[in-house]
Amino acid sequence: MSTVRRASPLMSQAEARELGLDREDLVRLYRDMLATRLVEERGNLLFKAGKLPGSYYTGRGNEAASVGVAAAMGADDIASPLHRNLGVHLVRGVPPAAIFCQFMGRDGGATRGRDSNLRSNDFGPGKGLLAGVSHLPAMIPVITGMALAFQLRGEDRVAIGWCGDGAAARGDMHESMNLAGVRRLPIVYIIDNNQYAYSTPNRLSFACEHLADRGPAYGFEGIVVDGTDVVTVFREAQRAIEKAREGGGPTIIELITLRMEGHAVHDDAGYVPRELLAEFGSKDPLERFRSWLAEIEDCSDDELAALEDEVRAWIEAGVLEAESSPPPDPAGVREGVYAQPLG
Ligand SMILES: Cc1ncc(C[n+]2csc(CCOP(=O)(O)OP(=O)(O)O)c2C)c(N)n1
């Protein structure tokens, strides 16, 4: 029997204003989700044209789960996003040019050609993004350790760690949440429940009703949120982050989405039932929010079309910049791979 709260949807303009979201902030949320989707679509075309080495992962359907949470972070907070969370990078100020450089394995990319996807989040200082190693969920103990460091140093900062539904079953996730609960660490765990861990469906992954039920099991709050609804995601993330900042301890937020494409480009996701795809297709995060903006903020089609043109131009400029970035110099192959000895 589940003990967690199910977040109710955010309905009105007045409620948005209470959260500190004015019209410009709301349009910005839409812009960041749109940019997320369009960067990923452009990356797919580049992959098909043979311009991206390795494999290629997208988070179609998960845009609100990335953007809504990242937009609620404070400037000095730190996040460990995953392969479905491109939107977190965009919200934290990583431009498309840097992302395409990374995707294309160019010298200007975050790993300077050593890896070609979003496994590395190290896009420079000031972004508050922890460099990723693996999704399963290698970064969760690290981000939990960062929350412990913030607490020990008396810093006013919060750590936000993303984890997939499949990865949530691993021991390192359980151990981290246990420590976070015992020490009441300033951390928010985001479980991006897109219902499939590669081809494994939820029903073969866990037997509790919600993954958020694990919060109360470890002594802290769990919330289940419709992860296709960006303003509700924002509200719950903001609440949990500020609670953590004020010493109220951890929260686990389970965002219900559906991975709308295969695990990566090689996978056609034929194992996902069509009815489920149709259900989530009808509540596409971008389309939903577009209708919301039209209804609540009177955003016209022309205004949103102009915004889309601007975002597309920004992305194309990013592709051109990445294409002109040189490949890494083979002579420097060992650079940045091993830590330099201290002293
Ligand atoms: C340690 C480790 N084992 C296996 C993999 C391969 N792998 C990457 S993502 C993934 C599935 C993850 O599922 P989930 O946590 O639900 O996240 P999703 O991909 O569905 O967003 C697997 C098996 C990996 N990257 N690292």
Side-chain angles (χ1 to χ4, degrees):
M1 176 72 177
S2 179
T3 52
V4 296
R5 176 167 68 84
R6 275 192 159 268
S8 58
L10 187 145
M11 303 301 289
S12 69
Q13 191 191 63
E15 205 188 335
R17 297 291 183 271
E18 265 174 46
L19 297 174
L21 294 172
D22 61 19
R23 188 180 195 277
E24 204 180 311
D25 298 324
L26 291 164
V27 171
R28 177 83 210 188
L29 284 177
Y30 177 74
R31 187 186 193 277
D32 286 332
M33 285 204 294
L34 181 67
T36 304
R37 171 129 343 146
L38 295 179
V39 165
E40 288 193 341
E41 285 182 355
R42 192 67 177 87
N44 230 330
L45 292 176
L46 290 165
F47 182 84
K48 284 184 184 141
K51 291 186 176 179
L52 301 195
S55 193
Y56 185 60
Y57 304 79
T58 65
R60 194 180 185 91
N62 288 52
E63 294 87 351
S66 301
V67 169
V69 177
M73 287 172 61
D76 294 329
D77 294 342
I78 191 144
S80 63
L82 301 177
H83 52 315
R84 313 275 177 222
N85 302 124
L86 173 69
V88 178
H89 298 79
L90 292 167
V91 173
R92 297 297 288 182
V94 180
I99 291 164
F100 286 118
C101 268
Q102 175 67 10
F103 283 170
M104 290 182 194
R106 300 300 169 112
D107 202 43
T111 57
R112 301 185 54 211
R114 278 129 184 99
D115 190 4
S116 61
N117 56 39
L118 282 178
R119 266 187 200 145
S120 166
N121 302 321
D122 190 7
F123 285 93
K127 304 282 189 294
L129 298 171
L130 189 62
V133 177
S134 166
H135 324 302
L136 291 188
M139 303 324 293
I140 288 288
V142 182
I143 195 89
T144 304
M146 295 194 84
L148 178 61
F150 296 158
Q151 188 185 62
L152 291 174
R153 292 178 187 161
E155 289 178 357
D156 192 13
R157 300 167 75 187
V158 178
I160 297 105
W162 274 260
C163 180
D165 42 279
R170 295 240 331 188
D172 25 14
M173 179 72 183
H174 286 272
E175 291 173 33
S176 298
M177 289 197 296
N178 185 52
L179 178 76
V182 170
R183 298 265 192 150
R184 295 184 72 70
L185 296 183
I187 188 160
V188 180
Y189 294 107
I190 306 292
I191 304 225
D192 213 340
N193 183 358
N194 60 19
Q195 305 189 50
Y196 283 83
Y198 209 131
S199 54
T200 306
N202 276 181
R203 70 185 160 77
L204 296 178
S205 283
F206 54 92
C208 47
E209 192 175 340
H210 299 295
L211 288 165
D213 284 321
R214 291 178 182 165
Y218 288 113
F220 55 87
E221 188 183 6
I223 306 167
V224 181
V225 183
D226 177 348
T228 67
D229 175 357
V230 70
V231 274
T232 304
V233 171
F234 174 87
R235 181 187 65 201
E236 297 303 328
Q238 186 188 54
R239 192 182 149 273
I241 290 170
E242 292 320 314
K243 183 185 81 173
R245 203 182 306 288
E246 284 157 19
T251 306
I252 183 168
I253 301 182
E254 179 180 358
L255 301 175
I256 310 294
T257 58
L258 180 66
R259 202 192 62 212
M260 297 301 285
E261 291 176 337
H263 173 71
V265 275
H266 60 270
D267 172 26
D268 69 4
Y271 44 82
V272 180
R274 283 185 183 188
E275 305 74 48
L276 195 56
L277 284 167
E279 182 195 331
F280 276 80
S282 70
K283 48 180 190 171
D284 175 80
L286 273 141
E287 290 308 316
R288 276 187 80 169
F289 195 44
R290 206 183 158 101
S291 311
W292 198 90
L293 285 174
E295 195 188 318
I296 309 266
E297 297 288 351
D298 274 335
C299 286
S300 67
D301 285 350
D302 284 353
E303 180 183 356
L304 296 178
L307 183 77
E308 182 164 336
D309 288 347
E310 185 200 309
V311 171
R312 283 187 187 277
W314 185 48
I315 289 172
E316 284 317 304
V319 173
L320 283 178
E321 196 179 323
E323 279 180 332
S324 63
S325 172
D329 179 358
V333 71
R334 291 195 178 86
E335 286 169 18
V337 176
Y338 300 103
Q340 297 301 315
L342 293 174

